[in-house]
Amino acid sequence: MTDEVTAGVFLGDRRVGTLRYREGNTWFDYDDRAPVHPVLGQAFEANPDKRRSASGSVPEWFANLLPEQGSGLRNLVGRELGRSNPHDFQVLMFLGEDLPGNVAPRARPELPGAALEHPRVVAVRPQAGRAGRLGEADDDQHGDQRRQRLPVSGKHSPRR
């Protein structure tokens, strides 16, 4: 059986949905149905019950937050993850709090370690002095300098 990785998606401090990954496929379920809530995107307001899914990537709305394939930033993230072509889910989880629009996917801490170490997914962001996979020592000579915040420029920016 293949592990599934689950991440809560937050808009600021408010959880708005759940993003899941399994065997290269991802899907997002929008959960924020309160009468008064921050708007994640118009598509979620128009059809909140629709499951957004993608095979080999992440759902379109999330893909628009990521650096373009082949861009310098994407290559830098790939090097940090130790992968030449990381899955979009890996990139999304790695950038985490640094995504544009105050959106932050956060891996659920109660998941077993095996799910977080799935060979195709890095579900938690490496910390300073840590390698991209849990439990591995970092032999990078740059130490704490590796984890400087990366400038992220999204394809669009929501109005505030």
Side-chain angles (χ1 to χ4, degrees), residues 40-62:
L40 181 62
Q42 186 56 42
F44 303 105
E45 297 296 307
N47 192 355
D49 295 324
K50 180 181 177 184
R51 172 173 276 181
R52 277 91 176 156
S53 60
S55 179
S57 183
V58 291
E60 187 175 287
W61 192 91
F62 294 96

Side-chain angles (χ1 to χ4, degrees), residues 68-86:
E68 295 289 336
Q69 292 280 351
S71 69
L73 181 56
R74 183 68 173 236
N75 293 338
L76 178 63
V77 169
R79 282 193 304 272
E80 287 285 320
L81 291 170
R83 292 166 166 75
S84 60
N85 187 22

